[in-house]
Amino acid sequence: MLATIVRRLLQTLVVVLVMSALVFAGLYVVGDPVNMLASPEATDAERELIRQSLGLDLPLWQQYGIFLGKAAHLDFGSSFLTGESAMHLILERMPATLELATLAMFLSLVIGVPLGVYAGLTPNSKGARSVMAGSVLGFSLPNFWVGLMLIMLFAVMLGWLPAGGRGAVETYGPIQLSIFNWAGFKNLILPAATIATAKCALIIRVTRAATRECLPQDYIKFARAKGLRERRVLGVHLLKNILIPIVTIGGLEYGQVFAFAVVTETVFSWPGMGKLLIDSIITLDRPVVVAYLMLTVVFLATLNLLVDIAYTVLDPRVRMGASA
């Protein structure tokens, strides 16, 4: 286990270095932030002063070297627009994105796993067919359309839930969260349900496939032959084995929601990292974009490591294969 963790940490370091080079080079050739910061009446001398103050007059390799040196201390520079630390801006928005991603994946698992097991146990029933048809629909509908329809139904027509914004928040040390009070939780329901629509469809299909694969296995037949109650057969022997793909897919999808909830955050004006990324891209606020992308790379690589560790805990055969 320790060797696996060390090996994956080294792989993570390589991935972060490669991604840092790709992200930095990509942003370097896309637009000129000086055009966004300088007024239309600015002279060439004034533009050059702005360029020098931002360090954009240096060669690309030198800018990248300075960037790596600062990144080692979690310093990705200051925002071109506000002058605040880019990492501070990202971390300030991170709790909003984390609670959105966490609630969305929680809803996906709580709804998707039971429906997937049901569809796997009774594949030819009308209910199972309806569940699978609903999962196809959940895959097919674009997120922004689902979000707009939820706003029309629950915010505009029924008036039950807010249409956007984060609502009331509570402070826990340096973190502000809205998920633990009803005034803020109401604002979280619609965007989380929008993301959960597609993720739940994926969990249903993965769970159904895993259930259909496990049912003919010898350990299920042996458990039933011993006279165990069906509830124990399904709740222990079946569920423990189908958890392996569910944990894997759930972990990876959680990382995807964390990194790419941009559309949903924009539709609902949710003040998370995704909305900050869009605003920064529009204004060519390069330090904020780089800080966001690098933080996302580290988060996804760490999450993949945790998923691998969970996989080895759930499936002893992986540990046996590694030791062999």
Side-chain angles (χ1 to χ4, degrees), residues 1-284:
M1 180 71 71
L2 181 59
T4 301
I5 295 175
V6 172
R7 183 171 62 252
R8 289 303 307 273
L9 285 175
L10 293 176
Q11 293 174 356
T12 300
L13 180 60
V14 174
V15 169
V16 171
L17 287 175
V18 172
M19 284 301 301
S20 68
L22 293 176
V23 168
F24 193 86
L27 290 176
Y28 182 83
V29 299
V30 178
D32 186 359
V34 176
N35 295 330
M36 301 292 296
L37 299 176
S39 65
E41 295 80 14
T43 64
D44 292 340
E46 292 172 338
R47 291 174 179 272
E48 186 61 27
L49 286 175
I50 296 176
R51 194 179 305 276
Q52 292 177 4
S53 66
L54 298 176
L56 300 177
D57 60 324
L58 301 174
L60 178 59
W61 65 268
Q62 193 171 348
Q63 291 187 45
Y64 181 63
I66 295 173
F67 164 73
L68 284 182
K70 291 183 177 180
H73 299 87
L74 299 180
D75 180 8
F76 293 94
S78 300
S79 169
F80 289 164
L81 298 181
T82 65
E84 295 183 68
S85 168
M87 182 55 70
H88 173 73
L89 292 174
I90 296 295
L91 294 178
E92 195 175 42
R93 301 290 190 97
M94 184 186 292
T97 298
L98 277 176
E99 61 183 3
L100 175 60
T102 301
L103 181 59
M105 288 308 302
F106 175 78
L107 293 175
S108 301
L109 293 171
V110 168
I111 298 173
V113 171
L115 290 180
V117 171
Y118 168 72
L121 293 175
T122 58
N124 297 320
S125 66
K126 292 183 178 179
R129 292 176 180 175
S130 299
V131 169
M132 297 311 297
S135 69
V136 173
L137 188 63
F139 268 126
S140 305
L141 298 177
N143 266 6
F144 71 89
W145 186 86
V146 173
L148 293 175
M149 292 302 102
L150 291 178
I151 290 175
M152 287 291 297
L153 177 60
F154 292 101
V156 178
M157 297 176 62
L158 298 177
W160 291 352
L161 298 170
R166 194 178 182 192
V169 297
E170 293 183 356
T171 302
Y172 300 89
I175 301 175
Q176 289 187 332
L177 297 176
S178 60
I179 197 171
F180 296 120
N181 66 86
W182 176 243
F185 186 76
K186 288 192 301 183
N187 292 68
L188 186 58
I189 294 176
L190 290 185
T194 300
I195 296 175
T197 301
K199 302 307 176 186
C200 183
L202 176 60
I203 296 298
I204 288 174
R205 301 186 73 85
V206 170
T207 304
R208 179 189 181 276
T211 301
R212 298 299 301 163
E213 183 180 352
C214 288
L215 282 177
Q217 299 298 320
D218 292 338
Y219 56 83
I220 297 293
K221 296 178 181 179
F222 183 69
R224 285 172 171 165
K226 288 197 305 182
L228 296 179
R229 291 182 299 177
E230 190 69 10
R231 179 181 300 179
R232 180 171 177 81
V233 172
L234 299 180
V236 177
H237 299 278
L238 177 68
L239 185 60
K240 183 178 180 180
N241 285 276
I242 67 173
L243 276 179
I244 296 172
I246 292 174
V247 168
T248 303
I249 296 299
L252 297 179
E253 290 301 311
Y254 179 75
Q256 186 182 46
V257 173
F258 173 82
F260 306 115
V262 177
V263 174
T264 303
E265 291 185 355
T266 302
V267 169
F268 289 93
S269 299
W270 187 258
M273 298 192 306
K275 191 172 186 305
L276 176 64
L277 175 65
I278 292 298
D279 295 339
S280 300
I281 291 175
I282 293 174
T283 58
L284 293 178

